[in-house]
Amino acid sequence: MTTTAAPLNKITTTTIHIAALDGVVTVNSLFTFAVFLGLTWNPTDPNYILVDATATACAATSSIAEDLVAFHVYSFSSFLFSSLIALGMKQAIRSSEEGEHGVGLRSVAYVNLKVLRMGILASAAGSVLGCVFLTVAMVDLVQIKLGILGCWSWYSLAVTFGPLVILKQNQPVNLLTFSSAWNQLAFPSKPPPKLLKIALFVKKWPNKYQAGGLERHALTLHLALAKRGHELHIFTTAPANSSFPRYPMSNLYFHLTKPTAAGYLDQALVWKQFQTQNSTGKPFDVIHTESAGIMHTRSRSLTNLAVTWHGIAYEAIHSDIIQEVLRNSEESQAYALTARAFKVVEEVKFFQNYAHHVATSDHCGDVLKRIYMIPEERVHTILNGVDEEIFNPDLSKGKDFKLKIGISQSKALILGMAGRLVKDKGHPLMFEALKQMFMENSTFQASVIVLVAGDGPWGARYKDLGANLLVLGPLEQAQMSRFYNAIDIFVNPTLRAQGLDHTLLEAILSGKPVMATRLASITGSVIVGKEMGYTFSPTVSSLKKALYEVWEDGRGILEKKGQLARQRGVELFTAAKMAAAYERLFLCISSDSRNRDIYCKYQSQFG
Ligand SMILES: *[C@@H]1O[C@H](CO)[C@@H](O)[C@H](O)[C@H]1NC(C)=O
Ligand SMILES: *[C@@H]1O[C@H](CO)[C@@H](O)[C@H](O)[C@H]1NC(C)=O
Ligand SMILES: *[C@@H]1O[C@H](CO)[C@@H](O)[C@H](O)[C@H]1NC(C)=O
């Protein structure tokens, strides 16, 4: 159908069409050119990537880079398609002008409006598609430059959805409902103007070297808080015969009581001591308990209290399942599993009596909120930290250690394990895996040395595996630091899914890659990606597979993984980070309500 309207109208319509087509062509050309240029450089060039050391887990994968290029190409083709249609239409209009009236005589053209409209529609659709693909490509680009979305990188979110969230970014975040680990936030390194009087309840204060996770946490955290100037009163049990350690700090007080027959804090006695301290001088600003140091019957009424859980029954169910699966047919069935389920129900009930909960792993935080049904503003995740001044990379320390144990000449790959050498730390599994590998592959046996620090029943058994298995006995901290520096990879085959393992964090801060069982606390907070280590299921075959992989990867790849692990570790797992996060939590929940307004809010860097 040709136009039947008056000539004036015809001129106007056609002119507008031509102008529109011109516009489309111009804009498209610009985009096409820009997109073409975009295709010519390497998006993953490390020189131009802003993902910082902390975000190795957040670094974009190569598939994102592939997507980026693909969407660039789609975008390019769409713009090209749109331009071609637009140019074609324009040409058609010109031709019809010429056909009817000769070149340049009159600007009246008879065109099929339906076709014209469809052409413009097609051209517009091409442009829109081009823009959509370009936007997707831009999101990929941002992910490559700033870390993947869905990762904790606030920067990339802020840039991608910038205009949408920038307003929100300016608002301070309510820390109490902050759902990720507080270790990711940056708190001032200077001590706060207000110093706190803190009470700590802990079943046992560690005697220098041999300390479980809970005691190590108590020691590292509270010594750091005392160093920052806070007044600490530590209510703990008196050791049976060894002398109690002394610290050169005047703001650190120990209140010792005789333990109960089962080795716990005598609640009545401890409470009396606490009341005396609370009524003389200043009352306590905040109360901290490592696991159920203070029982829920006493904690019920305290609003300025935080409990740090180093293992909850729900997590232990995983360990029970593993033990049951690994049980050989001669052993009788353990009833731990059924009993554990009831323990969870008990915990769900009495955990409510603690005002604030600190989870030491992301997984534990999630379980406390979801399964234990504790309101989210009362659950806070603060990952364990270890002393960064003791655990750090130092080549010479590693050399010294190797010299001392007589392996300085060896070119073999050195695997390290540490901790109590007992069944639930996975040593039977490791023993069996190594035994099988040594037997089936002599090359492996000849090119691997396994160092085992710690003691326990499996120490003696490991010695049966031959000369390249060195059982070193328990080592104190400074020795452990040398030990980590001497190894190529740290292996922890633990079957206990409770708390957040300290040895992995120490190895990571020492710049070593780590290998551990696939337990939720570990895969969720520590070995969050292949780039910092290896994980395996607690079966001999899976462990063997992982060990062969480590061996085949060799020293070069392990060193790279170790560096990446440390970069992330320095941002998350230092004692300083942990202490700063706890300090902030304590300030926020302390009895002084004026503090709440200041310290429960977090102003992000964008604010
Ligand atoms: C404490 O004393 C008991 C016996 O009285 C002894 O068996 C144990 O080894 C001692 N522990 C330490 C750490 O000295
Ligand atoms: C500690 O002392 C303060 C001030 O006297 C009091 O308000 C608070 O209830 C006491 N805390 C406990 C747990 O008794
Ligand atoms: C040991 O394993 C490696 C890699 O899996 C393999 O190449 C090699 O042939 C094996 N050696 C023996 C003696 O089985």
Side-chain angles (χ1 to χ4, degrees), residues 207 240-242:
N207 179 24
N241 42 10
S242 63

Side-chain angles (χ1 to χ4, degrees), residues 271 274-275 277-279 281-284 287 298 301-302 304 591:
W271 191 248
F274 168 80
Q275 293 288 2
Q277 287 303 322
N278 190 49
S279 53
K282 269 194 327 173
F284 283 105
I287 299 147
R298 309 254 174 206
S301 60
L302 304 173
N304 55 339
S591 32

Side-chain angles (χ1 to χ4, degrees), residues 360-601:
T360 56
S361 70
D362 296 270
H363 172 66
C364 177
D366 176 49
V367 171
L368 289 177
K369 283 183 263 192
R370 205 158 38 87
I371 290 154
Y372 285 60
M373 296 179 276
I374 300 162
E376 60 168 353
E377 68 276 10
R378 288 169 49 200
V379 177
H380 322 292
T381 304
I382 303 178
L383 307 176
N384 286 348
V386 294
D387 195 331
E388 62 272 27
E389 274 155 36
I390 298 175
F391 301 103
N392 48 40
D394 186 335
L395 272 179
S396 63
K397 274 194 201 168
K399 279 207 187 102
D400 281 356
F401 193 85
K402 285 197 229 178
L403 199 64
K404 206 185 100 198
I405 58 172
I407 55 166
S408 57
Q409 301 302 320
S410 175
K411 290 229 176 338
L413 197 70
I414 303 173
L415 313 181
M417 292 193 285
R420 283 181 308 118
L421 308 177
V422 294
K423 183 175 157 195
D424 66 349
K425 295 285 184 179
H427 291 288
L429 206 63
M430 190 67 184
F431 179 86
E432 188 57 32
L434 286 174
K435 191 174 130 195
Q436 290 184 13
M437 291 168 81
F438 286 172
M439 274 195 326
E440 74 196 18
N441 195 317
S442 53
T443 330
F444 178 83
Q445 185 181 22
S447 57
V448 163
I449 289 177
V450 185
L451 300 185
V452 189
D455 59 359
W458 286 85
R461 270 163 246 179
Y462 273 130
K463 287 183 184 145
D464 297 343
L465 287 181
N468 47 351
L469 232 139
L470 294 166
V471 182
L472 308 169
L475 303 177
E476 45 98 4
Q477 278 202 323
Q479 291 277 18
M480 276 308 287
S481 162
R482 288 193 201 106
F483 165 85
Y484 289 122
N485 274 294
I487 61 178
D488 291 306
I489 182 168
F490 182 74
V491 184
N492 188 350
T494 184
L495 311 178
R496 275 175 66 97
Q498 288 185 290
L500 192 65
D501 193 280
H502 281 87
T503 54
L504 290 174
L505 310 183
E506 292 169 356
I508 285 175
L509 282 197
S510 307
K512 300 300 172 177
V514 285
M515 173 174 161
T517 323
R518 258 174 229 141
L519 302 173
S521 59
I522 293 172
T523 54
S525 301
V526 185
I527 314 181
V528 297
K530 274 235 129 195
E531 56 276 26
M532 54 213 72
Y534 306 78
T535 60
F536 52 88
S537 296
T539 64
V540 172
S541 62
S542 177
L543 177 53
K544 275 172 69 180
K545 192 160 165 266
L547 285 168
Y548 272 127
E549 196 185 339
V550 167
W551 179 55
E552 278 158 21
D553 279 353
R555 202 164 269 148
I557 289 183
L558 292 179
E559 271 171 17
K560 270 203 198 96
K561 287 185 194 241
Q563 282 163 9
L564 287 175
R566 176 170 158 86
Q567 283 174 356
R568 181 170 180 271
V570 168
E571 291 298 322
L572 294 177
F573 304 131
T574 62
K577 273 272 175 182
M578 170 174 71
Y582 271 94
E583 177 183 82
R584 187 59 169 263
L585 174 66
F586 291 168
L587 284 165
C588 165
I589 65 170
S590 74
S591 32
D592 187 349
S593 62
R594 277 167 306 174
N595 282 345
R596 248 165 262 165
D597 303 332
I598 312 169
Y599 294 110
C600 295
K601 294 200 180 100

Side-chain angles (χ1 to χ4, degrees), residues 192-214:
K194 167 159 173 99
L195 293 174
L196 300 168
K197 182 172 173 183
I198 303 169
L200 165 71
F201 293 93
V202 58
K203 186 173 112 183
K204 198 169 150 226
W205 189 258
N207 179 24
K208 269 194 177 158
Y209 318 131
Q210 283 159 319
L214 178 150

Side-chain angles (χ1 to χ4, degrees), residues 252-298:
L252 185 61
Y253 305 89
F254 287 94
H255 307 281
L256 306 179
T257 46
K258 200 166 162 286
T260 63
Y264 292 103
L265 277 173
D266 185 325
Q267 296 288 310
L269 230 61
V270 163
W271 191 248
K272 219 178 189 171
Q273 279 189 335
F274 168 80
Q275 293 288 2
T276 311
Q277 287 303 322
N278 190 49
S279 53
T280 56
K282 269 194 327 173
F284 283 105
D285 293 300
V286 71
I287 299 147
H288 183 214
T289 165
E290 298 279 4
S291 291
I294 190 88
M295 298 248 288
H296 62 97
T297 43
R298 309 254 174 206

